[in-house]
Amino acid sequence: MLFLTHMKNKRNYTTILTGIILGIFFSGVAHAQSGMPAVAQWQCFLPYNQVTGVATDGTTFFCATTAGFFTYNREDGALTPYSKANGMSDIGMYGVAYDKTTRQAILVYANSNIDLFKDNAFTNLPELKLSQGVGDKTVHHVTAHEGVAYLSGNMGILVLNLLKKEVRETIRFSKNSTDVPVYATTFLNDSIYAATGIGLFRCYINNPFLQFQSQWELLDSGAYRYLEAFDGNIYAASNDSLFRLNGNSVEFRKQERYAIRHLDAAPNGLWISTRSTVPKEEQGYAVLVDKSGARIDSFSTTSPRQVIGLANGDVWYGDDSEYRYPDKRGFRKKISATRSEPYFPDGPTVNTSFDVSAYNGELWVAHGGKDNNWNILKRRTNFSVYKDGHWHNYAWVSDNEWVQDFIRILKDQNTGKVYAASFSGGLLEMEPDGAMKVYGEGFLDKSRGSTAGNDSVPDNNLYQVSGLALDDDGNLWMTNFGAQQYELAVRTRDGKWPQLRSIASNSTHSAADIIIDDYGQKWFIAPWNEGAVVYNDNRTLDNANDDTYFVLRKGKGAGGLPESTTLSIVKDKEGAIWIGTTNGIGIVHCPGSVIARECEAELKVVQDDQFAGHLFADQSVKAMAVDGANRKWIGTSNGVWLISADAEKTIYRFTEDNSPLPSNMIERINIDPVTGDVFFSTEKGLACFRSTATEGYTKNEDELFIYPNPVPSGYGGMIAVRGIAENADVRFTDISGQLVYRTKALGGQAVWDGKDYTGRKVQSGVYLVFIVNKDGTEKATGKIIIHE
C-alpha cells in the first residue's frame, strides 16, 4: 500500500508508480463502460400508451400522452420518448398542435403549463401556469396558424407569438359580466372561428382589436365543443351531433351513436372521433364523412382522440384507452376497419407506482393502490417488470377479482421468487418460471372490512397485505392491515405457514411496512395513530407463546416518537431504526433494548441557519431509504432530501420544480444496491436518480467498472468507479503518477468530477485509479481515458 501513502517527494512517488502503471496498461484491469447512465443523472419510466393528442409536419408525428410526449418519424421509423429527464417542463399533457410557419410543436400540459418543441429541444412558456387571479386555467383545445398559437380554455383564448415565444394577448368572452369558456378554434380563409359557452363566433384574423368580444360576430348561440374547417366549410360538433356552417346559419348534418370528442380534416373527408359516455365503458369508433355527412370510411377502436389522414391514404390516430384494452390504445396506424398497428415507446402500463424491487437494473414495480386513509382503490394494473430494456405487465394474475391493488413487491435474489402484496386479495407468489399462487383464506387473517368509499367490497372478504420483508433465513414476513386479530404473518422458505401473530395493544390492528433489525426482531409501522411495533419471535416460529413486543408511541416514556401516526420505517448501516411520522423522524439507536424498556427513540436536533429543531419537524415523512454510504433519502409530501449519514448535512434537495420528479408526493423510495439507482414512486410516475453511492463490497472486485470510459469530449458530469471495497481510499493520478484527486468511496463507488484540486478541468489523456481498502489488504487499479 506504499504507493497510496501521501509522500512529500513526488519523484519517489512517481518512481514507485512506474511498475504499477505499466501493469495497468498491459493487464486491462478496468472495464470500460461508455454506454451506462452517468452518475447524478435522471431517468423517468413513463407509459406512452394513452395518447391525448397528435400533430404532424407530414413526416414526424408529435404525440402527447397522459404522462409524457414522444415523436415518431414515419420515414426512418425512429421513436423518441421524452420526459422531464430529457427536457420536458412538466408531466401529463392535454394536447399538441404544430405550426408550419415556425416549425414548432406546441405542447399543452394538464396543469396549463406550455412547452414549445423544435429540433429535439424544449422552450418553456409558464405564464399561464404561473398567472395569478385567472381562475380556472383548464385548456380544452390548441391550434396554430401562421406563427401564432391559440389555446382555448376556461380563461378564454390565450394567444402566443411563436416567433417571439411570448404571450401576445388573451381574448375573453362573457355574458352578464361573467366570463364563459372557449372550447375550440379553427381557421378558414382570413377568419378565425371560436366555439364558446355562449355560441359560435367569427372574427377577421388580423383584426388589431381581436381581444375585444365586440369585434367578434355571433353566428349561432348553440353550445358547440369541437370545430374544424374542411372543403371550404366550417363544421361544429355538440354531444353526438355534427353541424355545418352555411353562411351565417348552422345546419344539422348527422348524429353518431356515441358522443363526439374530436373533428379532424383529411384530404378526402372529415374524421369524427366518438366514445361512449357510460362510466367505465370503453366503446368508440372513428368515421370519415364527406361534406354532406355521408360515410366514406370507418374503423373501430376503443377511445379515439384524434385522427390524421395523409395524402397517400394512410390513416394514423391516437387512442387514450385504459389498461384493459392494450390492443387498442396508444398511437396507431389503421390497417383495416378492425385492425391497427401500434407505434409508441415501450414503458410501464400505467404511471402510478407504489413500490419497486430493484437489483442490477431489473425492476419489479407495484402499480397500486391505496389512498392516504388506507382505503383500497380497486386497481387491476397489478405489477410490471422491466428487464433487458423491455417492460412486461402482469395485468391478470388470478380469477379472484380482489387480487388487485398491489402496493408492495419484493424479489428474493436467492430463489428468484417474486412476492407481491395485494391490498385486498392477499399474497401472490410467482416462481422463476412464471407460475403463480395466491395465499389468502386459510393462510392470512381477514380484514375487518374497513373500506370507506368502496361500498361494493364485501365485508370480511379482504386479505390486506401491506408490508413484506425477508429475514436472514429466507423466511417471508408480512403484515395484514386492519386484520380482525392477527396483523403479523410469516411464510418459511420451505413453504410452511407458522402461527399468526397478534399485538394486543394495537387496537385497530393496523400494520404496514415491515423491516428486520440486526437482532432478527421485526419492526413495523402501525398507522391510524398506533405508533410502531418491535416484535421478537425468539426464533421459535412455531411457538408464539414466548414472543415479546413493545409498541412505540409519541412522547417520552411511551416510546419517544415525535408523533404516533407513523408513515415509514428503515434500518441504517449502523443498525439504527429510523421511524418516519407525520411530525418528523424518531431514531432508535439501541433497538435490541427497546422491548426491555431500556431504550426509546431519539428526536435528533439539527441546526438550520440560526434555528435548531427536530429532524424534519412538521413534515410528513412518507418514505425513507438508506444508500451504500449510510446516507438517508427522505421522501415527504414536499419532495425529496438526501441527508448525510449523521443527518447534519443536506446533500440533495429535489422537488417537481427543480428536478424530473413527477410529483412532490412521494409514495416510496427504493435503491438498487448494485447500480446505486434511487427510485421515487409517485402517483404521477416513476423517476430514477443515479446516485453517487452503491452498496459496498467486502473486497475489491476483480474488474472495476468505470463509466463513462472513455469520457467523451465536452462531458461535464461525474466519472464513477464501481466495484470497490466499502469506504476504500481512492486516488486518481495522471500518467506520470502525479496525484490529481483523492477521495473516499461512497459504499462501493467513488466519483470524480474530472477536476484537479484547484477546480480546473484536467487535460485530455490517460488517468489512473488506485484503490486500497480501509485495512490495506485489498488493492485494485484502473485506467480512464479523457477526451477534451
Side-chain angles (χ1 to χ4, degrees):
M1 67 181 276
L2 186 60
F3 66 93
L4 284 177
T5 304
H6 179 66
M7 303 177 68
K8 295 181 180 180
N9 190 323
K10 294 182 180 178
R11 282 184 294 180
N12 289 343
Y13 181 51
T14 302
T15 301
I16 295 171
L17 284 174
T18 302
I20 299 168
I21 292 170
L22 291 174
I24 294 173
F25 273 101
F26 290 104
S27 64
V29 293
H31 185 59
Q33 292 286 310
S34 58
M36 298 179 67
V39 170
Q41 298 297 308
W42 287 84
Q43 186 175 4
C44 293
F45 297 97
L46 300 177
Y48 294 93
N49 51 21
Q50 288 185 281
V51 176
T52 58
V54 183
T56 185
D57 61 6
T59 300
T60 299
F61 293 97
F62 308 93
C63 303
T65 79
T66 54
F69 168 71
F70 69 91
T71 61
Y72 172 68
N73 187 301
R74 66 187 183 95
E75 290 186 352
D76 61 19
L79 266 172
T80 308
Y82 293 93
S83 68
K84 290 178 70 177
N86 58 354
M88 290 176 61
S89 299
D90 236 306
I91 187 169
M93 298 182 62
Y94 168 78
V96 61
Y98 181 77
D99 177 59
K100 295 180 180 179
T101 302
T102 61
R103 292 182 297 170
Q104 295 181 98
I106 304 96
L107 316 180
V108 182
Y109 297 91
N111 65 358
S112 71
N113 205 354
I114 302 165
D115 272 345
L116 302 182
F117 178 80
K118 183 180 181 180
D119 299 331
N120 301 318
F122 297 85
T123 301
N124 185 227
L125 301 179
E127 285 82 356
L128 179 60
K129 176 185 176 181
L130 300 177
S131 59
Q132 302 294 321
V134 175
D136 189 345
K137 305 174 188 178
T138 302
V139 176
H140 300 293
H141 188 237
V142 55
T143 53
H145 181 72
E146 297 181 351
V148 180
Y150 301 83
L151 278 66
S152 304
N154 289 352
M155 72 293 174
I157 303 174
L158 185 73
V159 184
L160 303 178
N161 185 317
L162 298 177
L163 191 61
K164 295 183 178 181
K165 296 180 173 58
E166 64 183 19
V167 176
R168 192 178 80 180
E169 60 198 358
T170 301
I171 304 169
R172 300 184 185 277
F173 292 83
S174 64
K175 183 176 182 180
N176 299 327
S177 300
T178 301
D179 287 344
V180 296
V182 178
Y183 296 110
T185 59
T186 194
F187 313 92
L188 183 62
N189 300 326
D190 58 0
S191 296
I192 178 174
Y193 295 77
T196 78
I198 54 175
L200 178 61
F201 288 83
R202 175 176 60 194
C203 189
Y204 174 54
I205 189 66
N206 291 321
N207 188 325
F209 304 106
L210 192 67
Q211 71 268 34
F212 298 109
Q213 181 178 339
S214 61
Q215 299 294 304
W216 291 71
E217 177 186 4
L218 177 62
L219 303 175
D220 186 87
S221 59
Y224 303 102
R225 294 298 299 258
Y226 305 100
L227 291 178
E228 185 64 300
F230 165 65
D231 195 29
N233 293 279
I234 297 295
Y235 289 81
S238 176
N239 298 320
D240 58 1
S241 298
L242 177 70
F243 302 86
R244 187 180 75 176
L245 180 65
N246 184 7
N248 289 346
S249 63
V250 174
E251 301 173 342
F252 172 78
R253 275 292 172 263
K254 73 188 307 275
Q255 185 177 23
E256 298 298 335
R257 185 175 10 147
Y258 299 135
I260 297 173
R261 63 198 313 244
H262 216 274
L263 300 176
D264 296 286
N268 58 337
L270 180 70
W271 281 103
I272 306 171
S273 298
T274 74
R275 178 180 173 175
S276 170
T277 57
V278 176
K280 297 184 179 181
E281 178 182 278
E282 289 194 306
Q283 298 289 336
Y285 61 86
V287 59
L288 180 69
V289 300
D290 63 17
K291 62 182 180 180
S292 67
R295 177 187 175 279
I296 301 173
D297 193 7
S298 67
F299 63 88
S300 63
T301 185
T302 306
S303 184
R305 191 64 180 259
Q306 198 164 352
V307 183
I308 293 180
L310 300 182
N312 66 357
D314 288 348
V315 175
W316 301 77
Y317 66 93
D319 190 296
D320 61 353
S321 304
E322 294 183 5
Y323 67 92
R324 288 173 290 182
Y325 299 94
D327 59 334
K328 300 290 187 182
R329 63 189 176 190
F331 179 57
R332 311 185 76 87
K333 181 181 179 181
K334 172 182 174 288
I335 303 301
S336 69
T338 57
R339 291 179 55 242
S340 63
E341 293 178 342
Y343 292 83
F344 54 89
D346 193 21
T349 190
V350 292
N351 56 356
T352 57
S353 174
F354 276 74
D355 194 25
V356 172
S357 181
Y359 189 84
N360 201 20
E362 179 180 304
L363 317 180
W364 290 84
V365 182
H367 294 301
K370 65 172 182 62
D371 64 18
N372 290 332
N373 293 319
W374 293 87
N375 297 314
I376 67 174
L377 297 178
K378 295 190 284 187
R379 291 179 177 168
R380 294 194 65 89
T381 43
N382 297 338
F383 55 89
S384 299
V385 60
Y386 177 74
K387 187 176 182 179
D388 299 327
H390 297 286
W391 284 91
H392 176 73
N393 176 243
Y394 293 87
W396 303 98
V397 296
S398 172
D399 292 335
N400 182 349
E401 63 176 325
W402 296 112
V403 182
Q404 57 184 351
D405 280 336
F406 286 93
I407 62 171
R408 295 293 178 259
I409 195 162
L410 175 64
K411 181 175 181 179
D412 186 340
Q413 297 301 325
N414 293 317
T415 65
K417 291 183 179 182
V418 175
Y419 300 98
S422 168
F423 199 55
S424 55
L427 173 73
L428 182 140
E429 177 189 53
M430 185 166 70
E431 299 286 349
D433 63 3
M436 299 183 190
K437 187 172 182 179
V438 176
Y439 299 93
E441 187 173 3
F443 300 95
L444 301 167
D445 196 6
K446 293 180 180 179
S447 165
R448 298 183 180 187
S450 177
T451 55
N454 295 278
D455 296 334
S456 62
V457 179
D459 285 349
N460 303 328
N461 197 32
L462 300 176
Y463 298 89
Q464 297 186 273
V465 180
S466 48
L468 302 172
L470 287 165
D471 65 20
D472 290 340
D473 297 321
N475 303 314
L476 179 71
W477 290 83
M478 65 207 82
T479 47
N480 285 16
F481 188 89
Q484 293 185 9
Q485 183 176 356
Y486 303 103
E487 63 265 58
L488 191 60
V490 59
R491 184 177 187 271
T492 65
R493 169 170 276 185
D494 57 3
K496 297 178 181 178
W497 289 79
Q499 185 176 345
L500 298 172
R501 265 71 175 180
S502 174
I503 312 300
S505 56
N506 179 7
S507 60
T508 64
H509 292 282
S510 66
D513 290 321
I514 181 171
I515 63 170
I516 299 171
D517 69 16
D518 292 343
Y519 302 92
Q521 299 178 127
K522 289 73 192 175
W523 292 72
F524 63 88
I525 59 171
W528 290 350
N529 205 40
E530 294 288 355
V533 177
V534 52
Y535 194 96
N536 190 338
D537 63 276
N538 241 339
R539 298 191 181 276
T540 55
L541 297 183
D542 293 319
N543 180 15
N545 294 325
D546 62 353
D547 296 355
T548 56
Y549 66 85
F550 180 68
V551 180
L552 294 84
R553 292 189 170 91
K554 177 183 178 180
K556 273 203 169 294
L561 294 180
E563 189 56 64
S564 293
T565 301
T566 51
L567 303 173
S568 56
I569 190 167
V570 73
K571 179 179 75 73
D572 73 10
K573 295 290 184 182
E574 296 177 348
I577 307 299
W578 292 54
I579 301 171
T581 76
T582 53
N583 186 29
I585 299 172
I587 307 172
V588 181
H589 291 286
C590 39
S593 303
V594 172
I595 292 179
R597 311 292 176 87
E598 297 173 352
C599 173
E600 59 182 17
E602 169 200 347
L603 303 184
K604 183 175 178 61
V605 177
V606 291
Q607 191 75 28
D608 183 13
D609 295 329
Q610 303 298 318
F611 303 96
H614 291 151
L615 188 62
F616 286 91
D618 300 322
Q619 293 273 356
S620 290
V621 181
K622 301 180 66 177
M624 294 187 291
V626 177
D627 71 13
N630 203 30
R631 304 176 303 180
K632 284 73 179 179
W633 288 90
I634 310 296
T636 71
S637 55
N638 295 307
V640 171
W641 285 258
L642 173 62
I643 59 176
S644 58
D646 59 6
E648 295 290 341
K649 179 182 177 183
T650 297
I651 300 167
Y652 291 129
R653 169 78 171 99
F654 296 135
T655 69
E656 62 184 59
D657 293 324
N658 70 6
S659 76
L661 274 180
S663 169
N664 285 336
M665 300 291 291
I666 308 301
E667 290 289 341
R668 186 83 160 157
I669 302 176
N670 302 90
I671 299 177
D672 185 326
V674 178
T675 65
D677 290 336
V678 185
F679 295 90
F680 307 102
S681 294
T682 78
E683 273 276 355
K684 293 184 178 181
L686 175 65
C688 166
F689 178 77
R690 175 147 288 190
S691 183
T692 51
T694 65
E695 286 295 313
Y697 299 82
T698 56
K699 64 178 183 177
N700 296 313
E701 293 287 282
D702 293 335
E703 202 174 28
L704 298 179
F705 287 81
I706 302 176
Y707 57 98
N709 191 21
V711 180
S713 177
Y715 180 73
M718 290 287 189
I719 303 165
V721 183
R722 204 172 73 200
I724 301 173
E726 187 171 14
N727 301 325
D729 183 75
V730 182
R731 298 190 184 191
F732 299 86
T733 78
D734 61 20
I735 193 62
S736 67
Q738 180 73 34
L739 184 65
V740 176
Y741 185 74
R742 179 181 180 182
T743 189
K744 182 181 178 182
L746 296 169
Q749 179 171 265
V751 294
W752 177 36
D753 61 3
K755 298 177 181 179
D756 61 21
Y757 279 108
T758 67
R760 294 179 300 183
K761 274 285 187 184
V762 299
Q763 296 179 344
S764 61
V766 177
Y767 291 83
L768 309 178
V769 187
F770 300 95
I771 300 166
V772 170
N773 68 357
K774 288 181 291 186
D775 61 9
T777 59
E778 288 290 335
K779 302 175 183 179
T781 53
K783 177 178 64 177
I784 306 171
I785 300 173
I786 296 180
H787 297 297
E788 282 190 346

